[in-house]
Amino acid sequence: MEKENLMCLLRIKGTEVSLVLEQSVLSWTFNKRRAYRKKSLTVAIPVNEIVTVRLGDGKQQTKGVAPSTQFTVYHVSRKSSSKRWSLQMVTFTAPDAQVAHSWVQAIQKKMFETGHTRPRKLLVFINPYGGRGKASRIYYSEISFLFQLAGIETDVIETTRANHARDYILEADLQTYDGVVCVGGDGMFSELLHGLVKRTQSDSGVCEDKENAMLTPCSLRIGIIPAVGINDPVTSALHIIIGDTQPMDVCASYNDGQLMKYSVSLIGYGFFGDVLRESENLRWVGPIRYDLAGIKMVFSNQSYRGTVEYLEAYESNSSPRDNTRCRTGCLVCSESSERLREAAEECQADCQSDTWKKVTGSFLAINITGMSSACPKSQDGLSPTAHLADGTADLILVQESSTMQFLRHLNRHTNRKDQFALPNVEVHRIRAMRFTPEEFDEEEAIRRQKRFFGCPCGRTSETSIWNCDGEILNCAELSVRVHHQLIQLFARGIEDTSRS
């Protein structure tokens, strides 16, 4: 389309509008002003939120008939009060078929010039048992047609066993794909995460089991279409279609010189480890088992002795106590690559070795989180200012205290008060951590045995286990290292709810 055709008069349902295609926005203004409006109504759509544009009115096929004077724009729609997206369409009528065709070509060209690269082919894994058996229905009834509409080719695999998706990624030819997508719950995402990271390291000749290895970032993006929980599958699919990309840090956990797990959210010892371990005995009651296990663990008030060592973040001005929230377009994350490179070069130039800081004590909880970990029960999360992709995680240490004091700390996760402003709680922004449990002497073992008989919540244990993104690591000694922007998600990050 020639430059002067980027603005012209068209019609929507018989009403004349002025349609304008700018660098990043498609907008139209209704030329007929309504009596109750002081100004004419203008509607604007970001070009990067247009799903597709097609000739015709969106209802009938144009093949085999006369060239259409109409074209339809399919785009993302959202309400200011909701994080959910939906698909909407608007049909324009042009003076003739040539003008309609020119607009379609111009909009399509802008779509692929603006924003992130859109996927053309995806590898989709569906757990048919995920979401209480709803995953397949959700994909085929709500998602599949959206991919078809956007012109995205898909290869769909329904998994038949645990680690099916992970093993497939390790062996398959992935060169023709622009991303891998899972339809299911957290377990399916974990399979894609481990499969893709392991495959990338294998192709790059990097040994995963070496704690100090510089892991190679994955080039393929990961899409997550939830079949459980409160997240909306259509919103997730639309993020995938328009190519939204969010890099994410990944924590690698090691025990005895061997890689144990990768994680992106929470690694917890003590309280959260005990809750997960106890919940395994309550599976028969369903999701409420976590609440029941949590109540039991609060009143058991069990602490574990050991030594935590950690490497602080390179930047001294980055703190988990500041008010810099990680949101869409976060500058802390987007500028972190250059800052980390400069910091590493300075350390090498000064011949400085990493200095590990040490805390020894009796801990109710040791938590490492690479994101805020916000959820419906905790609007701000475990660490409200943690960043998704800045190469750091937040280490939260909760020292031994009374049951009421620990309850006070937990309650502050729900009322948005500062959960770190307590005498038994400390938080650090870190690059790496290692924990060594304390071996009990005979006197301590006897004391714990006596406590068992007086504890209304049952047994006590010498050590806890690690909760790694909801999966059990049945060990106490652990090393954790943060890998900067190791994966990319089809996502936009955390959008500010105050935005329209």
Side-chain angles (χ1 to χ4, degrees), residues 317 319 321-327 330 332 384-387 429:
N317 61 343
S319 168
R321 301 298 299 275
D322 61 31
N323 291 316
T324 307
R325 302 296 177 98
C326 188
R327 296 291 184 263
C330 175
V332 172
T385 67
H387 287 270
R429 186 147 289 170

Side-chain angles (χ1 to χ4, degrees), residues 82-95:
S82 174
K83 295 180 181 179
R84 293 195 172 198
W85 290 9
S86 62
L87 179 73
Q88 288 206 353
M89 52 182 274
V90 56
T91 299
F92 298 92
T93 302

Side-chain angles (χ1 to χ4, degrees), residues 317-327 330 332-333 369-374 379-390 392-394 396 418-420 427-429 494:
N317 61 343
S318 175
S319 168
R321 301 298 299 275
D322 61 31
N323 291 316
T324 307
R325 302 296 177 98
C326 188
R327 296 291 184 263
C330 175
V332 172
C333 294
T369 181
M371 60 177 69
S372 68
S373 296
Q379 295 297 315
D380 283 343
L382 290 177
S383 188
T385 67
H387 287 270
L388 294 171
D390 68 340
T392 72
D394 287 352
I396 306 165
D418 187 353
Q419 60 262 50
F420 306 135
V427 60
H428 308 276
R429 186 147 289 170
I494 305 168

